[in-house]
Amino acid sequence: MINIKEKKDCCGCGACVQKCPLKCISLITDHEGFAYPQTDVQKCIKCGLCIKICPVINQKKERIPLECNAAQNLDKRELSQSSSGGLFIILAKYVLSQKGVVVGVVFDENWGVKHVASQNEECIRKMMGSKYVQSDTCETFRETEKYLKKGVLVLYSGTPCQIAGLKQFLHIEYSNLITLDFICHGVPSPLVWQRYLHELNNSNIENIEFRNKAERGWKKYSIVIKRKSSSSIKNSIVCSEKHHNNLFMKGFLSDLILRPSCYDCPVKSLKSGSDITIADFWSVERVLPQWVDDDKGTSLLLINTEKGISCFQQICDKMKLQSMDYKSVLEYNSSLIKSAVPHKNREKFFMNFETNKHTVNNLVIRYCYDTRGKIKLYIRLFLQHCGLYNK
């Protein structure tokens, strides 16, 4: 029977919930907004499956990739709609061309995030773009297993711990499964995200982009939130801020609101078992001076398995590519092997967050900025509230 004594020992992948033959395990959300398994001891038959498939308990060996590349989608439209180099949609379209299924993350009706399985290109395009909230894998491990047993090709994309959870859940290696993860900084609290949206005082949201490149480019990307509006585009914008100015993003990037397991990640150094790993290739101009950096987004592409190489060969003509060595990758992508360090004020943040007496913005300002920074931000928030900030 799974029994979480320390919260850092659960990554929230949901493998135990989906594997339980009697469905006696549920995910219960704590005061920080993260879900943890809870077992109905009256129903539990102590089969031990939940323990056998836990990716935290059953950690794999560290790996190094077989190939390392800088990569960029040659389709300019797809590139503009992607967070960085636009590789996910290339791989997803290949799987669709083989009558396969793609599993990825989309926004739900309340702008939370969840995994879904689809063979519909319109749905798959909704999986594009970063979503900086921990997603719910729902029943997609079970769905994936059903497709695999029928011989259907499946692409499953998720965080490294979710991929590790899926691999443990399946327990055997399927030749028709392609797994794709990314270099993960950590996952923010879904509850903090929901409250942040609520505090925007807008229940009519139409679109959210965590990584908008259209206005300021890839390196200075913005978080853009739009409402449904029949008036001008300008009036439809609820939020449009550079990522380092947005207070939700500040809390995320400062390691203030991450899941406890992210500070002691069990799947660093490619222990997830994924076939392919992607990421933003920050500082590509330093590692590869010959690469023409157009500020439209460049991906780091790590191919980790022979299956990944075989798949990559089917789609490499859709990309601009440049190979490099692994040592250069690590120089600017330390999150591949190192966990996030907890912010010194994380405990204070969530203690005050639980009281529901303070806004997310105010708490992030209080615990992430010095006195001068706090004054400037409070002035900015006041001017925004009065409609005077842009003027």
Side-chain angles (χ1 to χ4, degrees):
M1 181 174 67
I2 203 85
N3 182 21
I4 306 302
K5 294 180 179 179
E6 293 190 48
K7 291 185 174 180
K8 70 178 182 62
D9 294 332
C10 174
C11 62
C13 68
C16 57
V17 177
Q18 297 182 62
K19 194 68 173 179
C20 180
L22 297 182
K23 297 185 178 181
C24 61
I25 305 176
S26 303
L27 286 176
I28 306 299
T29 302
D30 71 354
H31 71 279
E32 294 182 349
F34 298 108
Y36 296 89
Q38 188 173 95
T39 304
D40 185 337
V41 294
Q42 300 300 320
K43 292 183 180 179
C44 179
I45 57 174
K46 296 180 174 59
C47 65
L49 283 175
C50 54
I51 294 173
K52 291 177 182 177
I53 55 91
C54 174
V56 178
I57 296 173
N58 304 281
Q59 295 184 30
K60 301 303 182 184
K61 293 181 180 179
E62 296 182 1
R63 303 180 298 165
I64 60 172
L66 303 180
E67 293 184 14
C68 306
N69 298 277
Q72 188 181 67
N73 193 326
L74 293 174
D75 186 312
K76 300 302 181 184
R77 177 173 169 271
E78 290 179 350
L79 180 63
S80 68
Q81 296 172 343
S82 302
S83 293
S84 51
L87 303 191
F88 166 77
I89 189 62
I90 297 176
L91 189 54
K93 287 170 69 175
Y94 164 71
V95 170
L96 289 185
S97 73
Q98 304 301 305
K99 301 189 185 307
V101 173
V102 178
V103 185
V105 174
V106 299
F107 286 112
D108 64 21
E109 62 277 7
N110 297 313
W111 299 100
V113 292
K114 65 179 182 180
H115 270 76
V116 296
S118 180
Q119 292 181 295
N120 179 280
E121 186 171 336
E122 183 180 351
C123 177
I124 288 163
R125 288 190 176 277
K126 293 178 182 179
M127 299 175 189
M128 296 171 68
S130 299
K131 298 168 183 71
Y132 294 127
V133 189
Q134 180 163 34
S135 62
D136 183 351
T137 57
C138 302
E139 293 289 310
T140 53
F141 290 2
R142 286 178 174 173
E143 292 177 64
T144 296
E145 185 175 46
K146 290 178 182 177
Y147 281 119
L148 293 172
K149 286 181 176 179
K150 291 178 182 178
V152 177
L153 179 64
V154 178
L155 168 64
Y156 197 108
S157 62
T159 63
C161 59
Q162 289 170 337
I163 297 301
L166 172 67
K167 291 273 191 172
Q168 287 293 125
F169 176 91
L170 296 172
H171 198 60
I172 61 174
E173 189 65 39
Y174 287 88
S175 61
N176 53 326
L177 171 66
I178 304 167
T179 50
L180 172 71
D181 63 9
F182 52 89
I183 297 179
C184 184
H185 176 80
V187 289
S189 161
L191 186 58
V192 173
W193 168 243
Q194 287 297 323
R195 193 178 299 179
Y196 171 78
L197 287 180
H198 176 74
E199 290 164 6
L200 287 177
N201 198 26
N202 194 290
S203 58
N204 204 23
I205 293 174
E206 182 177 47
N207 190 45
I208 295 175
E209 294 178 89
F210 277 104
R211 299 283 300 278
N212 179 286
K213 301 185 291 188
E215 294 184 12
R216 301 181 176 98
W218 170 52
K219 296 184 184 69
K220 298 179 180 179
Y221 65 87
S222 303
I223 177 170
V224 177
I225 301 174
K226 295 180 180 179
R227 69 166 74 90
K228 296 176 184 177
S229 176
S230 58
S231 57
S232 68
I233 295 176
K234 183 177 179 180
N235 290 336
S236 71
I237 295 176
V238 179
C239 169
S240 178
E241 296 177 316
K242 292 180 184 178
H243 63 280
H244 58 264
N245 285 340
N246 179 267
L247 290 169
F248 176 82
M249 290 297 290
K250 177 68 175 179
F252 164 48
L253 296 172
S254 298
D255 303 329
L256 183 70
I257 55 175
L258 304 185
R259 187 180 182 96
S261 61
C262 297
Y263 305 115
D264 189 19
C265 179
V267 289
K268 291 295 181 184
S269 299
L270 302 174
K271 288 160 65 177
S272 70
S274 65
D275 298 303
I276 298 172
T277 299
I278 57 176
D280 286 285
F281 198 161
W282 303 122
S283 299
V284 62
E285 70 283 356
R286 296 184 183 180
V287 178
L288 298 172
Q290 67 272 34
W291 183 272
V292 178
D293 183 12
D294 55 10
D295 200 29
K296 302 203 181 285
T298 300
S299 287
L300 177 63
L301 170 63
L302 307 179
I303 305 176
N304 308 320
T305 64
E306 292 295 337
K307 189 197 300 182
I309 290 176
S310 177
C311 179
F312 171 71
Q313 290 172 345
Q314 305 299 317
I315 59 175
C316 61
D317 61 328
K318 309 291 184 184
M319 313 173 198
K320 172 187 172 183
L321 289 164
Q322 177 67 53
S323 63
M324 78 205 73
D325 60 76
Y326 186 49
K327 184 178 178 180
S328 299
V329 170
L330 293 179
E331 186 175 359
Y332 296 100
N333 293 275
S334 61
S335 290
L336 182 60
I337 60 174
K338 294 180 181 178
S339 297
V341 178
H343 192 285
K344 63 179 181 180
N345 291 322
R346 185 187 185 279
E347 188 176 341
K348 292 179 181 177
F349 173 91
F350 279 109
M351 187 168 59
N352 281 279
F353 177 76
E354 186 179 9
T355 67
N356 209 19
K357 294 179 180 178
H358 309 276
T359 66
V360 171
N361 282 344
N362 283 339
L363 288 173
V364 172
I365 292 172
R366 178 186 297 184
Y367 294 120
C368 282
Y369 290 89
D370 59 18
T371 302
R372 183 179 179 184
K374 289 175 183 177
I375 293 170
K376 289 173 67 175
L377 280 163
Y378 281 128
I379 291 172
R380 192 186 92 195
L381 290 174
F382 174 75
L383 292 175
Q384 287 176 332
H385 179 74
C386 296
L388 300 173
Y389 181 68
N390 290 331
K391 295 180 181 179

